[in-house]
Amino acid sequence: MSSVGGTSLQDALAALQAVAVRAGVSAETARSEGLSLAAALAESAPGAPVDWSAATPGATTQDFFDAAVRGRRWRGAPTAVLNELVAQASPEKIPYAEALAEVASAACALGEPTMRVIGNASVAAAAQLQAAGARSLTVGAVSPQSSIHAPGASRTGGANASAGGVASDQAAGAAQAVAQTVAQPAAAEAVPERTVEELLAELDELTGLEKVKREVHRQVAVLRVEKLRSEAGLKSPTITRHLVFVGNPGTGKTTVARLVSGIYKALGLLSKGQLVEVDRSELVAGYLGQTATKTAEVVASAAGGVLFIDEAYSLTSGDQGADQYGREAVDTLVKEMEDRRDDLVVIVAGYPEPMEKFIAANPGLASRFRTTIGFDDYTDEELTEILTGLAEAADYELTPEALEHFRVILSSTPRDRSFGNGRFARNVLEAAIGRHAWRLRDVTAPSTDQLRRILAEDLTDEELHPPGTTDRPEVAAELGAADAPAAPADGPADVTDDGAVPPEQSVPPEQGEQA
């Protein structure tokens, strides 16, 4: 296996496990998380499953793609373990985030890494470090012996092989140039738990989401008064704390859920305040009877915090809710919500219409989910602000011309149900980081400004039209394909509206947050 920045995936996983053990987290849990993150970042690289499997004896190509599905949500958001360490204000949160950044860096050497993988890894590493309060690290350095698969370069024999080898060497040089911007991480130190006011201030600083912010502030006011009345011995109506988030993909639902978990903890309503994010595949088992146990174990892991179920309607989306596996999961969830009502909050999320049907499918759900918060799509200016924030978090700077070029991309992109909102902005940045590295491939000693600045030409390979001209759906197709994985040899998998493969399929193919 190739090494990245001197660290192979095996080494990076070992370091991650060591930090996890110090933090009181199972080494196996950390290893599984690291493997999923690496697979999600490298899933588009030819040959990545083989190199990934070398770190997991006995693993198959199918295991690689299953892990990639689990890890895709962490390409723009903190992992589950890191989120819990942050919620606990653990002194190991920064070392763990740094170890995850090393895993992201090691993922760049799986298979025949492309410029796109470098972009994915840079954004993912920045998301982990930012969540922990550490300074950004740039990933993507490669050893002289490793090769990066350049765009369009051939891996076959003959003359094409020679051309591909030259291109690969050039790409490796570009990746090494990127690595020169690595910053020293902030020293780990104990951080006091944040107050309600601090968390609400962070919520208010998010781009857009004005209606969401008002509703969360209202919820906090109601729950705070209810708690004070209870402490004073006054009668108080039972107020359900469970929430329904509705909106299109990439509108900040997971980001807000993470803040809600911290706010509820600061209010004294939850004991831990961690966020556990799952979907159908993590609740439903392969056989009847096993699903109840699997769901109960997931809920137990969220006790003291928030259980966030994305696309929750997939549990009841069969013909008239006839999916008995999903029904078993829902029945178990309702029971667990009742048994743990004093120290568990459940947030279910998805598209508006399917969520209405999901809540109506079970009387137990309808009585517990009484508050629905709608997440609007972002405007062009809000998406530009999100892109700028993501770039700054990864220690890049977009020139004014690049920002204007991004606005042109937005004006050329159809806003149908599959549009990724903040996720779209993240995809643009990931691709731009790869093109930026490729642009610097022949620069022997790039300046700091060259290493940081994203130019307009880095944003897309397409010829763009100014606002008001013919739509260019192929631009959106190119950028939206960023979440699509490299399929196994037996063919591509079906993809849902948000770019993910349904978890029920045997062949699987991802927020930044806000993206």
Side-chain angles (χ1 to χ4, degrees), residues 68-333:
V69 170
R70 293 192 297 272
R72 294 181 86 200
R73 63 171 67 106
W74 300 327
R75 280 172 49 185
T79 66
V81 171
L82 178 58
N83 182 66
E84 185 165 359
L85 295 179
V86 170
Q88 296 171 353
S90 169
E92 297 296 338
K93 65 180 184 179
I94 290 180
Y96 192 82
E98 293 168 357
L100 286 170
E102 286 296 332
V103 170
S105 186
C108 292
L110 296 179
E112 301 170 0
T114 64
M115 291 294 113
R116 184 68 203 212
V117 174
I118 292 176
N120 293 347
S122 295
V123 174
Q128 311 309 317
L129 293 164
Q130 186 178 41
R135 292 169 58 189
S136 296
L137 293 169
T138 301
V139 301
V142 295
S143 66
Q145 292 76 26
S146 70
S147 62
I148 304 276
H149 190 44
S154 171
R155 299 282 296 187
T156 58
N160 285 341
S162 297
V166 172
S168 294
D169 290 341
Q170 291 173 328
Q176 288 173 320
V178 172
Q180 294 178 29
T181 64
V182 175
Q184 292 299 321
E189 58 182 29
V191 178
E193 294 185 2
R194 292 189 292 173
T195 64
V196 173
E197 290 72 24
E198 290 171 335
L199 290 162
L200 286 175
E202 183 176 340
L203 172 70
D204 292 339
E205 289 173 0
L206 295 179
T207 299
L209 306 177
E210 297 308 320
K211 291 195 299 185
V212 174
K213 295 170 184 176
R214 287 196 298 271
E215 181 58 32
V216 172
H217 275 275
R218 190 189 72 81
Q219 285 286 309
V220 169
V222 170
L223 291 170
R224 174 183 275 153
V225 170
E226 180 197 27
K227 184 173 183 291
L228 291 173
R229 285 179 58 87
S230 176
E231 291 173 349
L234 299 174
K235 293 182 179 179
S236 184
T238 300
I239 300 176
T240 178
R241 296 173 287 175
H242 308 299
L243 301 170
V244 180
F245 286 179
V246 297
N248 289 326
T251 48
K253 296 185 289 294
T254 306
T255 299
V256 174
R258 186 170 295 109
L259 287 171
V260 166
S261 67
I263 290 169
Y264 281 12
K265 180 178 186 289
L267 284 171
L269 302 175
L270 293 173
S271 60
K272 297 180 181 179
Q274 81 279 19
L275 178 77
V276 176
E277 184 184 0
V278 299
D279 56 23
R280 176 189 167 95
S281 67
E282 291 156 288
L283 296 174
V284 172
Y287 300 95
L288 282 177
Q290 294 180 335
T291 291
T293 300
K294 187 174 183 179
T295 300
E297 289 174 349
V298 168
V299 174
S301 71
V306 171
L307 176 63
F308 182 85
I309 306 176
D310 196 20
E311 296 186 344
Y313 42 74
S314 62
L315 295 170
T316 57
S317 60
D319 185 17
Q320 295 182 342
D323 181 346
Q324 52 189 336
Y325 297 95
R327 279 208 311 271
E328 184 179 1
V330 171
D331 291 342
T332 304
L333 177 64

Side-chain angles (χ1 to χ4, degrees), residues 49-50 52-64:
V50 175
W52 181 88
S53 298
T56 310
T60 64
T61 298
Q62 184 63 54
D63 293 331
F64 171 82

Side-chain angles (χ1 to χ4, degrees), residues 412-465:
S412 306
T413 303
R415 301 298 179 87
D416 54 21
R417 176 167 164 165
S418 64
F419 179 67
N421 282 281
R423 199 172 297 173
F424 178 87
R426 192 202 65 218
N427 288 343
V428 169
L429 179 63
E430 290 174 343
I433 289 173
R435 295 190 190 97
H436 166 269
W438 182 244
R439 178 167 54 81
L440 297 179
R441 65 191 181 277
D442 295 325
V443 181
T444 304
S447 67
T448 300
D449 281 346
Q450 287 177 308
L451 291 169
R452 294 189 70 247
R453 299 180 74 184
I454 298 290
L455 306 182
E457 64 192 80
D458 298 324
L459 292 187
T460 181
D461 294 326
E462 294 289 335
E463 179 184 353
L464 297 175
H465 294 263

